[in-house]
Amino acid sequence: MNDVNEKGITEVMQYLPMRIQNVIVKMNSQYKSSIKEIRLRSNKPVVIVTEKGCAFLSVLGKISYIMSDNTVILSCDELSDTVKRICGFSLYAHQSEITDGFITLKGGHRVGICGTAVNENGKTISVKDINCINIRIAGEKQGCATEIISNIFTNGLSNIIIAGAPMSGKTTVLRELVRQISDGNAGEYYKCAVMDERCEIAAVNGTEFENNVGINTDVLSNYPKGKGVAQAVRTLSPDMIFCDETSSLDEVKDILNAIMCGVHFAVTVHADSLRDLYKRNVPSRLIGSGLFNYVVMLGTKTNIGKVERIIKVGEKDLENCGNSIACNDMYSFGKSDERKNA
Amino acid sequence: MSVKMLERIKILEQTVMMLRQMKTQIVFKREPITILLENIVNGENYNKLTYINDVIDKMNAGFDFFDAWKKSINTFIKISALRRDDEYLLISFASNFGQSDAQGQAAECDACINLLEMRIEALKSKAENGIKIYNMLGILSGIFIAIILF
């Protein structure tokens, strides 16, 4: 993982101001590989996020958890120059991404954008005065889905939900899961389709994939999830579809419709804990549909990208967590299983 | 003078073609400038636009697009048939490039294309007038020699 992280830093460095590049070059590889995020704010210190928390970049090429005189302060012009570089000096090429608040760099690194929204008829058409960007270093982590494969996919495909807090490695695990299933690690070479709405999973560069998503995988990049899922089901006949960050009820509807067509799904959702799964609309709907078989909870902080728990839907502790909400508008697990069997 | 003018017209015509191609790829594919320039370098119709390679090299070396373009045009002007007013037009095109949405960018391309086409028209009519004058001078010289001989 360290090598992968260092590769990520190298890929991201070309977009940073020369002064910051020079500081990062001075860093030893231990510091470099600990970087998870780089936060750039206009006229503010450069913040580096590591597993241990937020730290500051020092002009000496070190990471300090306390701000000092040596802390690198980013100027307004440097931020503006970085934004231009990230957009490839072509704002129009990232128009829709910018209005959604992010740009994906080569290698699948996601840049979150903060600024002032320009609205027209209630719709954001652009973002001006960008004052902060957050660069998240993406990384492939070979083997992080092996536990999922050996526990869930030994007897064929299943529908699974991968849940975790922000920065828990959901995308990394999903990418590795696609690779392993596509490469035949689940018993046969299943046809996989990836809905890469933010171009983070496969990190498409032209017609090439920068990340390894397996030998039998079709990638639909930049498609809205619903449209991509419908197209994949209609034209690609996938055995399994992989969706990152399912976040709206419309997407849930499209996914459930596709499952009814006989396609299997692996989806990721934001949820800090099992209880959180039920508090949030999207995961509770997915589980409540009775069509998903497993929930995989990921760890955080020092356990980023590691499987914390695998829960079969219908297990008692999962039911207990969802008890109060499940009554409202969804089948209880036992009943939904009965419904499926019937 | 005429050869240089024809060369200048060819460069400007290829620039117009380049801008049309860029506009199409911006509107339909939203390709960033690096890809647009690579497509032009790989195209067969742009042999006169040698400065594009220079722009790509400079951008690869870390220059931003405007600086790379400006420096390359400055150098190209010195070795090509283009003139100072062409330099000003091409540099001003780059100064606004990449800072708006696709529609805005297409409008920028159109504006530059229009100015270049007007310039090409003017140069062509100037070249034609020049040819007419030379023809007339030739005829008059012939008549003059004939009068002297007879």
Side-chain angles (χ1 to χ4, degrees):
Chain A
M1 182 67 173
N2 284 354
D3 288 346
V4 172
N5 229 29
E6 219 175 312
K7 181 179 156 252
I9 297 288
T10 313
E11 284 170 343
V12 160
M13 250 172 58
Q14 59 178 303
Y15 302 99
L16 299 175
M18 196 51 79
R19 195 163 61 96
I20 313 284
Q21 284 187 34
N22 291 338
V23 172
I24 293 177
V25 164
K26 284 185 211 163
M27 274 183 174
N28 66 31
S29 55
Q30 193 195 343
Y31 280 135
K32 271 189 207 168
S33 56
S34 69
I35 299 175
K36 303 285 170 212
E37 290 182 359
I38 302 171
R39 288 176 176 262
L40 305 178
R41 297 184 179 97
S42 181
N43 296 321
K44 296 268 166 46
V46 176
V47 174
I48 302 288
V49 180
T50 68
E51 285 172 358
K52 291 177 191 165
C54 289
F56 302 101
L57 189 65
S58 120
V59 286
L60 306 168
K62 288 182 179 168
I63 291 174
S64 158
Y65 289 88
I66 301 162
M67 214 180 131
S68 70
D69 292 343
N70 285 331
T71 302
V72 178
I73 308 284
L74 191 85
S75 73
C76 188
D77 286 345
E78 283 175 319
L79 181 71
S80 152
D81 184 54
T82 308
V83 172
K84 277 188 197 166
R85 282 178 195 281
I86 283 168
C87 295
F89 306 102
S90 314
L91 218 59
Y92 58 84
H94 300 279
Q95 209 173 318
S96 63
E97 290 165 273
I98 289 171
T99 53
D100 286 341
F102 72 93
I103 294 173
T104 310
L105 303 177
K106 262 186 184 179
H109 312 286
R110 192 201 291 182
V111 182
I113 290 171
C114 264
T116 308
V118 180
N119 298 317
E120 196 178 272
N121 301 327
K123 204 178 158 195
T124 303
I125 55 163
S126 178
V127 177
K128 63 175 183 175
D129 304 332
I130 294 170
N131 54 51
C132 164
I133 58 172
N134 174 30
I135 306 169
R136 282 177 65 174
I137 315 294
E140 287 181 279
K141 196 175 175 186
Q142 298 265 329
C144 66
T146 308
E147 209 175 324
I148 302 175
I149 295 283
S150 58
N151 281 289
I152 299 176
F153 292 97
T154 44
N155 297 318
L157 297 177
S158 284
N159 296 315
I160 70 162
I161 298 167
I162 299 170
M167 290 281 291
S168 57
K170 295 183 290 295
T171 308
T172 310
V173 170
L174 189 75
R175 186 189 298 123
E176 176 63 4
L177 188 65
V178 188
R179 189 189 69 76
Q180 293 213 19
I181 292 176
S182 176
D183 282 352
N185 292 5
E188 60 179 277
Y189 294 98
Y190 289 108
K191 291 175 285 175
C192 299
V194 173
M195 298 304 119
D196 204 357
E197 200 177 2
R198 296 185 168 100
C199 302
E200 283 182 297
I201 303 174
V204 172
N205 179 18
T207 52
E208 304 274 316
F209 303 146
E210 300 222 349
N211 293 332
N212 184 359
V213 285
I215 54 168
N216 203 15
T217 303
D218 305 311
V219 179
L220 286 96
S221 291
N222 227 357
Y223 277 79
K225 236 172 244 119
K227 198 179 172 195
V229 167
Q231 184 172 323
V233 172
R234 265 203 309 269
T235 60
L236 301 170
S237 70
D239 295 314
M240 189 155 184
I241 296 179
F242 299 79
C243 294
D244 199 13
E245 292 195 12
T246 309
S247 56
S248 77
L249 291 178
D250 283 341
E251 288 172 5
V252 171
K253 201 173 132 195
D254 293 322
I255 289 168
L256 296 180
N257 279 337
I259 294 178
M260 299 290 195
C261 298
V263 184
H264 290 88
F265 268 82
V267 301
T268 68
V269 293
H270 280 291
D272 212 3
S273 61
L274 283 180
R275 193 162 290 278
D276 224 34
L277 273 175
Y278 280 92
K279 283 184 189 158
R280 304 197 62 226
N281 232 342
V282 166
S284 68
R285 291 287 167 117
L286 289 171
I287 297 170
S289 70
L291 298 171
F292 279 83
N293 315 102
Y294 293 93
V295 174
V296 177
M297 290 298 300
L298 300 181
T300 50
K301 296 207 168 167
T302 50
N303 286 323
I304 290 173
K306 288 182 187 160
V307 175
E308 207 165 62
R309 288 180 73 182
I310 296 175
I311 307 127
K312 189 165 169 45
V313 174
E315 269 182 9
K316 208 172 176 185
D317 54 352
L318 194 60
E319 272 192 45
N320 288 341
C321 289
N323 206 15
S324 56
I325 301 164
C327 304
N328 292 336
D329 55 0
M330 63 180 73
Y331 296 95
S332 73
F333 302 118
K335 280 182 185 167
S336 64
D337 279 346
E338 278 169 23
R339 183 173 61 103
K340 263 172 75 186
N341 292 337
Chain B
M1 175 203 158
S2 182
V3 174
K4 207 171 180 190
M5 189 184 278
L6 288 175
E7 179 69 8
R8 186 179 168 203
I9 289 171
K10 273 183 191 165
I11 295 171
L12 293 179
E13 280 177 340
Q14 287 195 4
T15 307
V16 168
M17 277 166 63
M18 174 187 80
L19 291 175
R20 289 221 169 94
Q21 181 178 320
M22 284 168 87
K23 182 191 159 187
T24 309
Q25 292 184 353
I26 288 169
V27 172
F28 290 105
K29 291 174 145 187
R30 303 284 196 272
E31 296 282 23
I33 186 65
T34 44
I35 305 282
L36 297 179
L37 295 178
E38 272 169 26
N39 290 344
I40 287 156
V41 167
N42 295 330
E44 289 170 1
N45 304 321
Y46 307 109
N47 59 331
K48 301 279 176 198
L49 309 182
T50 50
Y51 63 90
I52 300 294
N53 268 321
D54 199 20
V55 178
I56 293 173
D57 289 344
K58 286 193 164 58
M59 284 181 81
N60 287 339
F63 282 92
D64 74 24
F65 169 66
F66 178 65
D67 285 343
W69 181 274
K70 193 178 171 188
K71 282 188 167 50
S72 304
I73 294 287
N74 287 338
T75 314
F76 185 66
I77 291 292
K78 288 172 194 159
I79 55 162
S80 73
L82 289 188
R83 287 174 40 178
R84 286 283 156 201
D85 43 349
D86 303 323
E87 180 186 17
Y88 174 75
L89 182 57
L90 289 175
I91 289 175
S92 67
F93 164 73
S95 68
N96 293 324
F97 192 88
Q99 293 174 24
S100 67
D101 61 1
Q103 287 74 25
Q105 219 54 71
E108 291 281 345
C109 288
D110 281 338
C112 193
I113 288 168
N114 287 341
L115 289 171
L116 284 170
E117 280 180 339
M118 280 163 61
R119 190 160 294 178
I120 291 165
E121 278 306 307
L123 285 172
K124 277 183 175 170
S125 72
K126 205 173 168 185
E128 271 176 29
N129 285 341
I131 290 165
K132 276 181 193 165
I133 288 167
Y134 284 122
N135 283 343
M136 196 62 78
L137 279 175
I139 292 163
L140 287 174
S141 310
I143 293 168
F144 183 70
I145 291 164
I147 290 168
I148 289 173
L149 289 176
F150 296 101

